[in-house]
Amino acid sequence: MSAESNKSAVEENPAQASASEDGGDRARGMLRAIAESNALVVFAAIVAALIVGSVLVIIANEDVIDAAGYFFSRPGDTFAAIGTAIVDAYGALFRGSIYNTNADTFVDGIKPLTGSLTLATPLILAGLGLGVGFRAGLFNIGAQGQVIIGATIAWVLGFHVGLPFGIHLAFALLGGLLGGAIWGFIPGVLKATSGANEVIVTIMLNYVALYLLSWLLTFDAFQIPGSDNPKSPNILDTAAWPKLLGDNYNLHWGFIFALVMAGVIWWLMERSTLGFRFRAVGANPHAAAKAGMNVKLTYILVMVVAGAMAGLAGANQILGTERSLTADIAGSIGFDAITVALLGRSRPFGIVGAGLLFGALSASGPTLQVQAGLPIDIVLVIQSVIVLFIAAPPLVRFLFRLPEPRIVKEVTA
Amino acid sequence: MKLELRGITKKFGDFVANDSIDLVVEPGTVHALLGENGAGKSTLMNVLFGLYDADGGEVLLDDKPVKFDGPGDAMRAGIGMVHQHFMLVRPFTVAENVMLGHEPLAGSRLLDFSMARDRVTHLSQKFGFDIDPDAVIDDLSVGAEQRVEIIKALSRDANVLILDEPTAVLTPQETDELLEIVRQLADSGTSVVLITHKLREVQAVADTITVIRRGKVVGTAKPTATQEELASLMVGRDVSMTVDKGAAKPGATMLEIEDLRAVDDFDITTLDGVSFDVKAGEILCVAGVQGNGQTELAEAILGAIPASGSVTLDGTELLGRSIRHVLREGVGFVPEDRTEDGLVAKFTIENNLVLDLIDQAPYSRGGAINVKAIEDNAVAKVEEFDVRTTSAKATAGSLSGGNQQKVVLAREMSRPLKLLIASQPTRGLDVGSIEFVHKRIIAERDNGTAVLIISSELDEVVALADRIAVMYHGTIVDIVPPDTDRDTLGLLMAGGKQVTA
């Protein structure tokens, strides 16, 4: 039978091709399409999101609203107010995330940039793990829980164990890595043995991790002596990341560590046999199985690696940025990292870029609020709109008149 | 009714699927549209049927220009189409399927079942179809389903009937019956357009032959033309239709299968006690109509599905081992669905060529990939297997079917093999690629490898086999020599035991 003949000559859109590959897994295919979308589309989505952000800035600005009230008598006022609002907003965004032009010295002025890098660090680490999962066809929504477990174990080792400087740090990092790995192993092994959907299992494990931590924080061993607050004391100095640029800045060597890990993950995915297997299983599990690869084992290993990276993100927060453990230790890192991984197209260097962008966006939040009088949520809206645009490549292609992708080349890097 | 296509052009982006095609189908004739897969036959018919908008040209019925916005328009104008994949509602009866979309009404709201039933009986009798209007589609054989599709088209007063690769799913007997029906239809005044790439059918039934290659009409021929002439037109160069192959020199028994049994996910028996053996240096072809357990046979040997019984390769038991182990024992496997099971479409050709060897030297050492070794291997294989590509770094998905299959073959033959299993090795390939694949398979045999071919193309089976095992309902009905005549093979494929000794 010649199945080819009635497929005609239309080249299948990659999104559709992967979506139809596995009966009920269309959503998976769509997510993968997002995760592997074209770099140009990602860039266009960011631009589009900033434009949409501008519109919101304009609508929310009181001067603009006032001036619009007498638009027909003096329209120039409205336009001037719009201009001021946009310049204020993006000015604040720049001052809040990169360089504070109002500062007296360069040392103070550059502070926002170091803040952005600090905030980007856990997003990059957790995003790297998620990216590995996405490329192997697994939708791990469990980074949040993995971050929490990683942070918890790193704190325990960083506070309750006494070791010399350096060794102590490495030991605590390794503990965080293993904690996250275990939290990834559970859904991995469940998927491999019983076919349990990793999306649901990982979401549920996020809650387990969160309430486990909240419970642990009720014990004396996790509280500052003499206090009943669910907040732990700081880790020992021997386990802490040294500051990268001196005590003036929060930025610590954990950021460099994240960049190194990006290189490691790149090597793993592009240059190791294991990564080849991850990618093959992700792109076509049927062909991978027929070539003798153990697909189930691969799923478990992928989840372990993804969990390990998220665990490192948590450990890194404790050992570098936060130093003490609270129930809110993970913030929204695990979820923002999903966006970062998608935005970075699951590629390590893309994830570093996306992590830096999101770090900068969240760093600028307070400045936007104080200096431009904008609700802090505008940052969240811009982040969300970026994702929305990436999720709808046809819309972005239409808006920016980008050509349809024809032949999908495998991107190696 | 006379159907005429004038200068039909259809483009997909830069790709011209139909390049100003002219075609005239005279009333009461069988017009064969012959071409390789991807030549543009189906696109042309989809344009005619109003499924695609043409970029140029016009359709004329009885010399009057017509324009169809969809299949409904085309059907009302008297054009019927039987698709390669049947469009039947399986739990419905024949009569219900025939009336679907054109329900005759009794009174204002009630369906007139008896009228639909009468119509089926009438058409069925007229052409000797032997179809019960009350039979449920699920209970019918593939051949009967196809006849229901034909009745469906005729009941809507089709004067032009388009059959898209109608024999792909039929046994040789069913094929002969269909060709007879086609002849009868033409004699009773219906024009038939037969889309096919099978030369034998064209010669048997067509009045006029139009050959299409790469979207263009490259010639017309009389049915008296030889297969070689038709094939050369189709491919654009001389092709030999026979496979050059010396006598087999069978050695020791290499593969021995004993009472192999398997069930599918619904506990339905797919393999029902299969036993046979293949010797080193011989080709055993498993013939049979699709869906009689051939796919499961290949997968059971590979270890992709659980099975009981015994499969020994050179004395080693394969059952119960992982696919990786089976491959390492010296089994090459060319899956029947190469895009699904054979290749990772998004991967480069380079990477696809080492998909099963990536964890071994020289392609990796200590867990690290050796990019250079992979590149060198790809360059060598692309050359050796004549893979037509701009670069070994192009994705496998960008290759044509024939070139994809060459990549799969190149990979599977790059290990030292004791047994090569190839399922439907030339399905959907062009004549040129078929020639190449057949040559490589025979070369592998002459190297002393045991070769197991599973194919539903009888021509292929006859051309390649040193022995033919016919499969029916999960068992091997008989093993016969390759010079067995088609009728006998056809009977065996339908489950009949060989009568003559």
Side-chain angles (χ1 to χ4, degrees), chain A residues 120 123-132 134 262 265 337 340-357:
Chain A
L123 296 179
I124 292 172
L125 280 171
L128 287 170
L130 290 165
V132 170
F134 293 162
I265 293 293
V340 165
L342 293 177
L343 192 60
R345 296 159 59 238
S346 303
R347 301 305 195 279
F349 302 128
I351 288 168
V352 169
L356 292 176
L357 176 70

Side-chain angles (χ1 to χ4, degrees), chain B residues 220-489:
Chain B
T220 52
K222 290 280 158 213
T224 47
T226 65
Q227 296 214 352
E228 272 78 9
E229 285 166 359
L230 291 174
S232 318
L233 262 181
M234 237 163 94
V235 186
R237 61 181 174 81
D238 286 343
V239 272
S240 94
M241 293 304 294
T242 48
V243 181
D244 279 333
K245 128 169 134 57
K249 298 183 199 69
T253 297
M254 192 55 85
L255 174 73
E256 210 168 353
I257 295 180
E258 202 79 58
D259 196 32
L260 190 65
R261 290 173 188 276
V263 295
D264 66 10
D265 294 342
F266 307 101
D267 261 346
I268 296 176
T269 303
T270 50
L271 293 176
D272 194 7
V274 172
S275 303
F276 64 87
D277 51 45
V278 189
K279 295 183 176 62
E282 83 163 341
I283 299 178
L284 179 83
C285 282
V286 176
V289 181
Q290 269 178 17
N292 275 291
Q294 300 98 313
T295 310
E296 290 79 3
L297 172 64
E299 296 201 329
I301 300 174
L302 185 69
I305 59 168
S308 68
S310 157
V311 176
T312 51
L313 179 70
D314 203 10
T316 314
E317 178 64 51
L318 294 185
L319 277 197
R321 295 177 143 224
S322 70
I323 296 177
R324 171 187 301 257
H325 278 119
V326 172
L327 296 178
R328 292 285 178 271
E329 283 296 325
V331 176
F333 183 77
V334 178
E336 101 184 35
D337 187 341
R338 65 186 152 266
T339 50
E340 177 93 353
D341 294 324
L343 292 166
V344 179
K346 282 191 207 165
F347 269 27
T348 57
I349 296 167
E350 279 177 1
N351 283 346
N352 270 294
L353 281 168
V354 295
L355 206 56
D356 52 350
L357 290 170
I358 191 66
D359 55 349
Q360 296 194 339
Y363 305 116
S364 70
R365 212 168 263 126
I369 288 175
N370 182 347
V371 178
K372 182 81 172 60
I374 294 174
E375 282 172 356
D376 291 348
N377 173 64
V379 170
K381 295 293 174 199
V382 163
E383 164 90 34
E384 184 189 346
F385 281 79
D386 189 28
V387 180
R388 308 275 171 85
T389 174
T390 47
S391 154
K393 295 195 187 296
T395 59
S398 68
L399 295 177
S400 72
N403 285 305
Q404 288 183 342
Q405 190 72 328
K406 287 176 188 170
V407 171
V408 175
L409 270 184
R411 180 183 70 217
E412 296 304 316
M413 289 179 175
S414 53
R415 286 170 279 135
L417 294 184
K418 290 179 183 165
L419 169 70
L420 174 69
I421 306 171
S423 282
Q424 317 293 355
T426 58
R427 173 179 286 175
L429 301 197
D430 54 274
V431 177
S433 301
I434 291 175
E435 238 184 327
F436 183 89
V437 169
H438 283 172
K439 264 189 205 148
R440 295 302 308 209
I441 289 174
I442 288 163
E444 194 64 38
R445 177 199 73 169
D446 293 342
N447 271 342
T449 304
V451 180
L452 178 67
I453 302 288
I454 292 170
S455 176
S456 48
E457 297 267 358
L458 210 46
D459 290 334
E460 176 166 77
V461 168
V462 170
L464 283 179
D466 296 317
R467 287 189 297 148
I468 301 174
V470 183
M471 221 173 158
Y472 177 75
H473 280 195
T475 57
I476 301 287
V477 189
D478 206 348
I479 297 182
V480 295
D483 55 2
T484 310
D485 65 89
R486 294 184 93 93
D487 288 345
T488 313
L489 283 174

